[in-house]
Amino acid sequence: MIKHLEDLKQDTIPEFRGGKGEVQITHFLEVDKGEFNSKGRLFAKNVLKPGSSVGLHEHVGDSETYVILSGEGLVDDNGDQKLVKPGDVIITRNGEKHSIENTGTVDLEILALILFD
Amino acid sequence: MIKHLEDLKQDTIPEFRGGKGEVQITHFLEVDKGEFNSKGRLFAKNVLKPGSSVGLHEHVGDSETYVILSGEGLVDDNGDQKLVKPGDVIITRNGEKHSIENTGTVDLEILALILFD
């Protein structure tokens, strides 16, 4: 089955997880359509404009992987503050916390994958 | 945990699944490191140069999702031939077949996610 970009579910969420600005989420797979085989709940591209962020939050019962596609940002990786750039992969396991902020001047594009534990 | 691009496992596989040329695979997560929580076995970027392809193959016991990041190609989507472009999502479920060929003039970059059924 092929879904085109215009068919993908899109969300715009303000102050996501207590963050600043908003996050635009383009969902590649949808839980409600059974597309995760019950193995996860998010496979998406998240876009943060400069100054926007996803607030610090803990993962409980699942793990999230971010892959930086473009732009740059500041990550809180379970307590460690680190600058990230395209190609970087941030893995936040069950029980760990993370946040990410676009500290650059262009959109920060992130792949996000959440798999259950 | 943060992995940088240079830390990621890379594979170059000739004639992948009976295809032409080679596929360059950059692994965001690794099965051997337990990074999939036993929920899947591939989360990667695949790059096909012009003329290269992944041959037609069936998925048994899992589902694969391709997301076209850049370039253009021809997909066999379980028997239907379709041209794909950036933003297109191809879902191949358990028991279905797919192939993909770079029919364009620039690299075809594909996200690939395999989740168990």
Side-chain angles (χ1 to χ4, degrees):
Chain A
M1 179 185 65
I2 297 186
K3 300 195 280 189
H4 301 295
L5 186 56
E6 59 270 25
D7 304 325
L8 302 180
K9 184 184 175 201
Q10 307 253 1
D11 288 322
T12 300
I13 304 181
E15 299 179 356
F16 190 46
R17 303 290 198 168
K20 298 180 283 187
E22 63 185 28
V23 183
Q24 295 171 306
I25 304 176
T26 302
H27 298 268
F28 301 134
L29 296 179
E30 291 186 46
V31 170
D32 293 349
K33 295 180 179 172
E35 293 174 343
F36 283 92
N37 307 340
S38 304
K39 300 299 187 290
R41 61 181 176 86
L42 184 75
F43 181 37
K45 183 174 77 170
N46 294 350
V47 179
L48 296 168
K49 292 191 179 303
S52 288
S53 63
V54 177
L56 188 69
H57 61 282
E58 181 176 356
H59 277 268
V60 178
D62 56 43
S63 304
E64 183 161 23
T65 302
Y66 285 155
V67 181
I68 309 298
L69 290 177
S70 63
E72 55 185 58
L74 180 65
V75 162
D76 184 314
D77 174 37
N78 206 41
D80 293 332
Q81 308 284 322
K82 294 178 186 170
L83 290 170
V84 292
K85 61 184 189 308
D88 285 348
V89 176
I90 302 106
I91 300 176
T92 305
R93 291 191 176 262
N94 188 7
E96 295 185 340
K97 296 178 183 181
H98 64 170
S99 66
I100 186 164
E101 177 172 348
N102 184 346
T103 52
T105 57
V106 299
D107 283 1
L108 175 62
E109 297 192 319
I110 310 162
L111 288 179
L113 174 67
I114 297 180
L115 296 179
F116 297 135
D117 213 66
Chain B
M1 179 185 65
I2 297 186
K3 300 195 280 190
H4 301 294
L5 186 56
E6 58 270 24
D7 304 325
L8 302 181
K9 184 184 175 202
Q10 306 252 1
D11 287 322
T12 300
I13 305 181
E15 300 180 355
F16 191 45
R17 302 291 198 167
K20 297 179 285 186
E22 62 186 29
V23 182
Q24 296 171 305
I25 304 177
T26 302
H27 297 269
F28 302 134
L29 297 179
E30 292 186 46
V31 170
D32 293 349
K33 295 180 177 171
E35 294 174 343
F36 283 92
N37 306 341
S38 304
K39 300 300 187 288
R41 61 181 176 85
L42 184 75
F43 180 36
K45 183 173 78 170
N46 294 350
V47 178
L48 296 168
K49 293 192 179 303
S52 288
S53 64
V54 176
L56 188 70
H57 60 282
E58 181 176 357
H59 278 267
V60 178
D62 55 43
S63 304
E64 183 161 23
T65 301
Y66 285 156
V67 181
I68 309 298
L69 289 178
S70 63
E72 56 185 57
L74 179 66
V75 162
D76 184 316
D77 174 35
N78 207 41
D80 294 331
Q81 307 284 323
K82 294 177 185 170
L83 289 171
V84 293
K85 61 185 190 307
D88 285 348
V89 175
I90 303 106
I91 301 176
T92 304
R93 293 192 174 263
N94 188 8
E96 295 184 341
K97 296 178 182 179
H98 63 170
S99 66
I100 186 164
E101 178 172 347
N102 184 345
T103 52
T105 57
V106 298
D107 284 0
L108 175 62
E109 298 191 319
I110 310 162
L111 288 178
L113 174 67
I114 297 180
L115 297 179
F116 296 136
D117 213 64

